[in-house]
Structures are given as C-alpha cells and as structure tokens.
Amino acid sequence: MEPVYLDNAATTPMSEEVIAEMTDKMNHVWGNASTTYSFGRKAHTVMEDSRQIIADSINAATTEITFTSGGSESDNTAIVQTAIARQNLGKHIITTAIEHEAVLKPLQYLESQGFEVTYLPVDQNGNISLSDFKNALRDDTILVTIMMGNNEVGSRMPIHEIGELLKDHQAWFHTDAVQTYGLLDIDVKRDHIDMLSTSAHKINGPKMIGFLYRRNGINFPSFVKGGEQEDKRRAGTENIPAIAAFGTAVSVLTSAEKRARQTKYFEFKNRIINGLQANGVAVEVNGEIKPDNLNHVLNIWLKGISTYVMQTNLDLAGFAISGGSACTAGNLEPSHVLTAMYGENSPRISESIRISFGRYTTKEQIDAFIQAVTKIANRLTEKSEVS
Ligand SMILES: Cc1ncc(COP(=O)(O)O)c(C=O)c1O
C-alpha cells in the first residue's frame, strides 16, 4: 500500500496546478520585480496579479498585503514590530495559552524586554472565554494576538466578538490564521482585524511563502531590514514563482470548495471516532467534534498507549500522523495545548495523536487508518495484559 499522509496541519503537498504554475514562472518569469526593464515589469505584473487574488480572498486591498516567508515571519513581524512601534502607549499584550510557537516565542522575547503578556486560559474544549478577555483588557493594552483556529485540536476563537470589542480600543488586533485560511471564509473588515498571518504550504501551495495582512493605517517599520521591496515593508527580492503559485493555490479555494472540504473532513472525524469505538478501541476526542470547528484537525486520546509507540507503529504500518505539537517533525515535547486544556498530569498529554486531513485524503485511507489503529491498539493492549 502507498503510504498514507494524515498530517496536513503540518504541511500539504503542492497541487498539480500549483506545480504547473510554479514551473512555468520559474522558466519564464525570473526577473527581479524591482527592476524597470521588461523582465522586471513582467515579474511585477505576475506578483501584483497574485496580490489581487489574495487581497480579494480576505476582503482586503492590495496595499494591505505584504508577502513574507510564511506564517512564522508574519507572526513575528506583527507582534514584535507592533510592540516596538507602540511601546509609548503601553506595554501590555493579550494572547492565549494555545498559540503556535511562532506567536509564543516572539512574545517570550518581548517579555524579556519588559513587556507584560496575559495568556488567556482555555477550557477542556480548547476555547477561551470572552469574559476572561474583557477582564484582561486594560487601557495600556497595545496588542491582542489571538489565533483564528488551533492547529492541534481545531478549536476556533471568537474573532468577530473580539474584533467588535476592540473597535474603540487602542489595541491593535492580530490573528494567526495559518490553519484557518483556505478552510473558512475570512473577512478582515467584517471582523475588524488589523493584522492577519497566513502561510501557503498549508493550502497545497509552496513552502516559505505567506503574507501578512496589515490594515491601511497600521504602520510599523519593516522587520526584515534592507531593500525597499513590498512598499518598504519587507526587504528581500520577491520569489515570483512562489508568489504566483500561492495565488493559484488560493484561487481554487472558492467558498463552495471550502464548505465542501469542511463537510468532508467533519465526516472523516466522525468516521474515525465511530469506527474505533465500534472496534472496541478505548478512545476519546481531545476537544470536541462540531461542524464549526476546524474540521481538518482531529486530536484523539488512545487510552493507555503512549504517543510515541502509536506514532512509530503507525509509521511502520505506512501512516503519517503527528505525535507532538504542531509542525515540528519528530517533536514529542508534551503539547502545551493539551496541557492548557487538561493540566500537566493528564494521561492525555502522553497518550494522544493528531490526525489531519487535506485535499487528497480519501474515505478509503480513513478506513485503512481505522483498521491499522485497531490492530496496533489490540496488539499493544494484549502485550501489556500479559506482562
Ligand atoms: C497556527 C500556526 N501558526 C504559524 C505556523 C508557522 O507557519 P510557517 O510554517 O509558514 O512558518 C504554523 C505551522 O504549523 C501554524 O500551524
């Protein structure tokens, strides 16, 4: 059997049309977009066409889109540069305990520089409470950075409500939409979002390309310093083939396509849980299964079976899933997300796996996965009963 890839929250394969677009532009549009002769003008046009597709996809203007090297750079830029630009207005920042490291690490850096960060707790479903948020908000809060949806358990944060609450507050509102972009319709104007981070490799686009949306009027100096590319907002010669391919990846994600994927992934989640339970496997969902969550991510607790053992056995059986947090391959550090949800002493921390679906995941693969987990679980449980 071909190996089955069920770790699409970590990264996705490039689609055929993305590879075709990228190959075409690598062959034919390799000029430097900052130059004024024909090679550069051609590159510039390709880049601006892609920027238009991307701006439209979140109801933004093209002047509000800066291409970056991906989610991590977008998050770092929004967070660190906001803090630097606004420190005279206050030094307080609000976030959640379950953000990706691309948000948590720059915040830790800012804490070392004298900023104060409030980490909103989550409940057992991975949700924050709006009243906790309201209580945390202060006159000296300069930045609120709250992810749109979580990469480990798929819970969604109340972005619209937070945007509304911040409308008349000085704090800028940034959201990490890396897992949400391409799966849900996003409208930055409707939700009063000031800054938003995305990444192409989560939506069958190339790696090392993403964008930072920055509402017109939100100004801070470039994080990457050097040339004057991207309207002086991000130095570095633009990667035209990757930018063009990112546009292609976005253009196939119509609202109807996104809805269809959410529905398909929701069915996969239920199929896995019901299938495992029917086979007698002791399993529980970490978080909850509900249609509005990010349905491409399913996190399950396989009672009594260590994450590492299950992940290794699944790998040997030909299935790629995530054992630890986020997209750090081979990282089996205890998940800070599960710890925030269940406490550090919960057995879930060391007995859970994340399965994530993508465009090419099929029902047949899901059924094969259920059988594989069942077989491994039965074998491991028998062994531990004998010993
Ligand atoms: C929620 C979230 N934010 C940020 C990132 C980092 O994105 P990138 O890999 O493009 O730097 C990831 C990657 O897994 C993610 O899941």
Side-chain angles (χ1 to χ4, degrees):
M1 190 183 73
E2 280 278 299
V4 174
Y5 184 72
L6 292 172
D7 197 15
N8 290 272
T11 195
T12 57
M14 285 197 276
S15 64
E16 258 177 42
E17 65 271 14
V18 162
I19 293 171
E21 175 69 3
M22 197 147 170
T23 310
D24 178 64
K25 296 301 173 286
M26 284 193 291
N27 278 320
H28 304 296
V29 191
W30 43 263
N32 184 326
S34 303
T35 56
T36 51
Y37 42 74
S38 63
F39 293 81
R41 289 199 304 276
K42 198 164 154 192
H44 192 260
T45 304
V46 166
M47 179 168 79
E48 293 313 308
D49 287 349
S50 178
R51 200 187 306 276
Q52 185 69 60
I53 293 169
I54 281 164
D56 290 346
S57 73
I58 57 166
N59 192 22
T62 50
T63 50
E64 296 173 317
I65 304 296
T66 307
F67 289 113
T68 66
S69 65
S72 300
E73 185 188 320
S74 298
D75 284 340
N76 274 263
T77 303
I79 292 166
V80 176
Q81 297 309 90
T82 294
I84 289 172
R86 311 199 78 212
Q87 51 192 321
N88 57 330
L89 298 172
K91 290 198 148 192
H92 181 237
I93 299 170
I94 300 175
T95 190
T96 77
I98 59 166
E99 298 294 313
H100 189 270
E101 284 78 2
V103 166
L104 294 176
K105 292 275 164 64
L107 288 174
Q108 282 161 17
Y109 163 72
L110 290 175
E111 283 178 302
S112 77
Q113 301 301 304
F115 288 83
E116 189 190 339
V117 181
T118 301
Y119 296 87
L120 298 175
V122 290
D123 64 17
Q124 298 214 334
N125 289 326
N127 295 321
I128 58 165
S129 105
L130 271 180
S131 62
D132 282 347
F133 172 72
K134 284 183 208 158
N135 290 337
L137 192 62
R138 310 191 317 215
D139 288 346
D140 65 338
T141 308
I142 51 166
L143 172 67
V144 172
T145 175
I146 292 185
M147 69 195 333
M148 203 169 259
N150 183 264
N151 49 302
E152 290 190 46
V153 294
S155 56
R156 281 175 65 191
M157 303 300 120
I159 295 302
H160 181 71
E161 290 79 357
I162 292 169
E164 286 282 337
L165 285 167
L166 290 177
K167 246 182 354 190
D168 301 316
H169 191 281
Q170 69 158 2
W172 287 349
F173 181 25
H174 167 252
T175 185
D176 175 334
V178 168
Q179 293 292 338
T180 321
Y181 186 59
L183 198 62
L184 300 177
D185 279 330
I186 296 177
D187 184 329
V188 287
K189 301 286 181 299
R190 175 196 64 203
D191 291 343
H192 309 284
I193 295 166
D194 295 315
M195 292 171 283
L196 177 142
S197 302
T198 72
S199 184
H201 73 96
K202 308 287 186 185
I203 58 163
N204 305 104
K207 293 178 186 27
M208 277 280 170
I209 186 77
F211 72 83
L212 174 64
Y213 156 79
R214 193 198 301 194
R215 176 172 65 72
N216 282 332
I218 300 282
N219 293 314
F220 46 71
S222 176
F223 187 57
V224 181
K225 302 191 190 335
E228 299 197 339
Q229 290 89 352
E230 294 296 286
D231 211 12
K232 302 185 187 158
R233 290 172 168 200
R234 201 276 183 186
T237 303
E238 291 97 342
N239 184 347
I240 302 300
I243 289 173
F246 189 9
T248 301
V250 172
S251 63
V252 301
L253 292 165
T254 59
S255 290
E257 176 62 26
K258 286 184 262 194
R259 270 198 305 277
R261 288 194 193 181
Q262 271 280 80
T263 306
K264 175 172 118 170
Y265 300 157
F266 183 66
E267 285 164 12
F268 285 167
K269 275 187 175 183
N270 285 310
R271 198 172 179 89
I272 290 178
I273 290 300
N274 295 338
L276 290 177
Q277 280 172 347
N279 289 350
V281 177
V283 62
E284 263 183 49
V285 178
N286 292 320
E288 61 186 331
I289 297 186
K290 60 174 196 183
D292 283 351
N293 271 1
L294 298 185
N295 289 329
H296 68 305
V297 182
L298 172 65
N299 203 309
I300 56 174
W301 174 28
L302 291 163
K303 297 180 193 176
I305 302 174
S306 106
T307 302
Y308 176 71
V309 171
M310 181 48 86
Q311 190 190 24
T312 310
N313 275 276
L314 278 171
D315 185 22
L316 290 173
F319 295 86
I321 51 99
S322 170
S325 79
C327 48
T328 341
N331 171 10
L332 287 180
E333 290 281 300
S335 150
H336 67 283
V337 175
L338 295 184
T339 304
M341 287 163 65
Y342 299 109
E344 60 186 4
N345 295 323
S346 169
R348 292 177 191 250
I349 310 298
S350 55
E351 298 176 354
S352 294
I353 57 170
R354 181 189 71 178
I355 305 121
S356 50
F357 320 118
R359 173 171 171 179
Y360 302 113
T361 311
T362 64
K363 201 157 80 179
E364 289 67 37
Q365 292 179 329
I366 297 296
D367 287 343
F369 175 74
I370 295 167
Q371 294 320 317
V373 173
T374 305
K375 219 165 122 187
I376 296 165
N378 285 343
R379 198 171 65 227
L380 294 170
T381 329
E382 265 166 35
K383 260 201 194 138
S384 58
E385 273 164 14
V386 172
S387 59

